[in-house]
Amino acid sequence: MVREIHVDRVKDVVRELSIKANYFLPQDVLKALNKAIETEESPVGKEVLGLIVQNAAIAAEDEMPICQDTGAAVIFLEVGQDIHFVGGSLVEAINQGVSEGYQDGYLRKSMTDDPFLRKNTGNNTPAIIHTDIVEGDQVYLVLAPKGGGSENMSAARGLTPADGMEGVKKFVVETVDRAGSNPCPPIVVGVGVGSTIEKAVLLSKKALIRPVGHPHPREHIAELEQSTLEAINNLGIGPQGLGGRTTALAVHIEPHSSHIASLIAAVNIQCHAARHAEATL
Amino acid sequence: MEKRITTPLTEETLRSLKAGENLVIDGVIYTGRDAAHKRLVETMDKGEPLPVDFTGQIIYYVGPCPAKPGHPIGSAGPTTSGRMDSYTPAMLNVGLKGMIGKGNRSAQVVEAIKEYGAVYLLAIGGAGALLAKCVKKAEVVAYEELGPEAIFRLEVENFPVVVGVDTEGNDIYVEGRKAYAR
C-alpha cells in the first residue's frame, strides 16, 4: 500500500524542528555536561561548564538560540519506500520549512550562495539533505544545526588496513589536538570508518546524532570509543581550551564494511551545543 | 572584586591586564567578523577612510542572531578568532587595542599584539544566550548589507571575558593546557 504525504506537512515539521533544535539542548547532552562538572579537575574548567549549562537554561527559558551560530540546517531523512510525496517538490518544501523556521525563530542566517563569492542567501537555505530509502511507510527526520567553528576542524584521511584500530585512534586524537580551543570544547567526536571517503564522512556526521554516551553495540568498537576518549581527555585542552580534563564528552564511532585495500577514517567535530531534534511522520 | 574595564582603553589599563585574569567590560564595543574585516582591510589598502574610528577600541568577533521584539540583540557569543588572524596586524595598525573572540591566535598575531601593546580577550564560545543579556543596546554602524556580519556598535554591561593574550604576549591557551595534559 502506498501512503501519501503532502509536502506541506514536511515543510511544517522542518520549520518547527529548526526552532526547537536551536532553543533546546537535548537532555543527553545536558546530562553529560552536568556529569563533567562533577569530574572536571580544573576550577576554571568547572566554572566554564557551569556557565555552559546556565546558558542552555537561559536559552530554553527565554526561547532564544543556545548559540548565535544557528548552523547549516543538516537534515537526515529516512523515507519509507511505500511513501508517495504529493503537492509539490519535497526539496523545495524542506527549504521552505528552513526558511520559515529561521525567519520566525529569529535564528541567524548563515548560508552563502557560493563558496567564493559568499553572498548570504538571506534565509539559511539550502538545507543540507541526506536521504535514505528504507522499508515501510513512515518518514523519520532529524534536523541537526551544525555550526561552522567545529565543522572547520573536521578531517578525513586514508589509512591502511595495517594501521587498524590504533591508527584510527591516533588520527582522531591528532585531529582533536590540532583543533585545540577552536571548536568550543567540550566536544562530541563523530568518527566514520570505511573504505570510500564519502561513506566515512557521512557516517562521521551520523555518529553525532547518537545519544551522547551510548556506546556502539559492537564490543571492540565500544572499547575503541572509550580508549580514544581517554586519550583525547589526556590532551589537557579542557572546557573552552583553558586547560582541564574534559575536552570531549564522548567519542562515537560508526564502522562500515571495507574494501580489502582500504581503511578510511573521517572525524566530524561537534561543539558542546550538540543540537538535534527529530520527528516521525 | 572583578576588574572592570571600559573603552577607549588607555595604555595604563592595557598594561595592567594579565593573561588568565577575569574581567568585565562596560561601555561601547564594536562587532566585526570575516566579511567586515575583509572590507575594512580593502578600504585601508585603497587609502580610503574607515567607517569607524578604532583608536583605543575593542572589536568583538561575533555575528549575532536577529533581535526578538523588545530585545536589543539575539544570541551573541564569540566566533573563532583564528579566521581574522590575517587581518589583525592591519587592524592593530589603525589603533585597535582589544579583540574578543574564542580560540588560538597565530604566532604572528601574538607578536603583533605585543608590538602594539594590545590584548586578546576570550568570551565563552557557545554561550550566546548568556552573553546577549550583557548587551543593552545594539545599532548597525557600517556594512548593513552584510546582515549578521555588519559592524554593530554595542553598549555592554558586565560583559565577562578572560584575558587570552596580554600586552607581554603571554598566552593562556599555552599555559592552561600544560597543567592538565597527561
Side-chain angles (χ1 to χ4, degrees), chain A residues 3-81:
Chain A
R3 178 178 165 225
E4 288 194 346
I5 293 183
H6 198 285
V7 293
D8 281 355
R9 270 192 72 196
V10 178
K11 182 197 77 178
D12 292 342
V13 164
V14 169
R15 176 192 176 279
E16 187 194 324
L17 294 182
S18 301
I19 297 172
K20 189 180 163 194
N22 275 297
Y23 289 0
F24 305 102
L25 196 61
Q27 285 303 317
D28 56 300
V29 183
L30 275 172
K31 203 174 142 194
L33 286 166
N34 278 313
K35 196 175 147 206
I37 294 177
E38 286 170 27
T39 56
E40 178 54 58
E41 295 167 20
S42 149
V44 177
K46 244 185 214 298
E47 190 189 332
V48 167
L49 290 167
L51 290 170
I52 288 170
V53 170
Q54 196 188 330
N55 179 71
I58 292 171
E61 170 80 25
D62 293 0
E63 300 201 352
M64 65 189 290
I66 297 157
C67 176
Q68 76 291 336
D69 187 348
T70 50
V74 176
I75 293 173
F76 286 103
L77 200 58
E78 281 182 13
V79 180
Q81 63 190 19

Side-chain angles (χ1 to χ4, degrees), chain A residues 96-108:
Chain A
Q96 188 59 33
V98 167
S99 175
E100 289 178 13
Y102 275 70
Q103 191 62 41
D104 300 347
Y106 297 89
L107 308 180
R108 196 180 80 186

